[in-house]
Amino acid sequence: MGVVQLLDKKFKTSIPEAEIKKHVKEVAERINRDLKDKNPLFLAVLNGSFIFAADLMREITIPCEISFVKLASYQGTTSTGKITEVIGINEDLSGRCIVIVEDIVDTGLTMKRMLETLGTRCPAEIHICALLVKPDKLQVDLDIEYAAMRIPNDFIVGYGLDYDQQGRNLPDIYTVID
């Protein structure tokens, strides 16, 4: 296991890239099966989900579309609890099958806000696809149909996730050690 230094913190490898990609492929296969006749619109939540979304889309074999939305709720290693929509959704969602693609769901507050925002646009259905879920930290009840991995309540970086904008480029996922 490797150790990396990002700013004032050290992180150790907790999920290697090969394991991540295996789980991404499994989630994509379920989506391909479940949504095969729906032409889903994938809405990737920036910035963190961009690597996950790219790898997921390479495994999706059904007709689909992708777009991006940016919501902010983190500062440093903790959620601020205040969610600000930075980049909105321009597509017409009426009657569409939507798949929200998120890097990590911890408190669930960001996802709840996203579901509320999308619900006003009259989609036919909304599905949640998350690379990582922290079940012990969830504060709201969410149906996360496509969760690639469940993890403990540790602060992590890599594979798109960051610590003050650092570490997104790391191919593995790392857990803070100090």
Side-chain angles (χ1 to χ4, degrees):
M1 294 219 166
V3 174
V4 296
Q5 177 89 33
L6 298 174
L7 303 173
D8 61 335
K9 299 203 180 301
K10 286 186 180 170
F11 298 83
K12 69 175 180 179
T13 306
S14 56
I15 308 172
E17 181 181 21
E19 185 179 339
I20 297 166
K21 295 213 177 199
K22 179 184 89 140
H23 290 289
V24 171
K25 185 175 178 68
E26 291 167 356
V27 165
E29 288 170 355
R30 289 191 358 240
I31 291 171
N32 287 329
R33 182 188 65 238
D34 295 351
L35 306 180
K36 66 181 176 202
D37 297 321
K38 304 216 176 189
N39 188 32
L41 171 61
F42 290 84
L43 288 178
V45 181
L46 296 173
N47 288 341
S49 75
F50 77 104
I51 291 176
F52 173 47
D55 285 349
L56 180 70
M57 293 306 291
R58 283 191 280 268
E59 299 291 339
I60 296 295
T61 58
I62 60 174
C64 64
E65 299 170 35
I66 187 167
S67 190
F68 299 88
V69 64
K70 185 169 182 176
L71 301 172
S73 66
Y74 260 85
Q75 185 170 24
T77 60
T78 57
S79 179
T80 63
K82 297 176 185 170
I83 298 149
T84 308
E85 187 170 351
V86 180
I87 300 170
I89 302 162
N90 299 321
E91 289 77 12
D92 179 9
L93 305 184
S94 298
R96 295 293 309 267
C97 171
I98 307 299
V99 179
I100 301 169
V101 180
E102 181 67 287
D103 56 351
I104 187 166
V105 177
D106 52 20
T107 64
L109 296 173
T110 300
M111 187 57 63
K112 181 176 184 252
R113 168 70 189 273
M114 182 85 169
L115 290 169
E116 289 167 354
T117 300
L118 293 177
T120 66
R121 307 248 184 142
C122 304
E125 55 194 277
I126 302 174
H127 305 273
I128 301 170
C129 178
L131 174 67
L132 304 164
V133 177
K134 292 182 177 179
D136 294 338
K137 196 164 181 196
L138 278 174
Q139 295 178 14
V140 294
D141 188 29
L142 294 172
D143 179 14
I144 305 170
E145 292 173 78
Y146 304 106
M149 292 177 271
R150 298 186 193 297
I151 62 168
N153 190 21
D154 297 323
F155 186 78
I156 57 172
V157 298
Y159 196 75
L161 295 109
D162 74 298
Y163 170 49
D164 281 343
Q165 300 301 323
Q166 299 296 305
R168 291 190 196 277
N169 58 317
L170 298 169
D172 304 317
I173 292 176
Y174 292 76
T175 302
V176 69
I177 53 177
D178 74 1

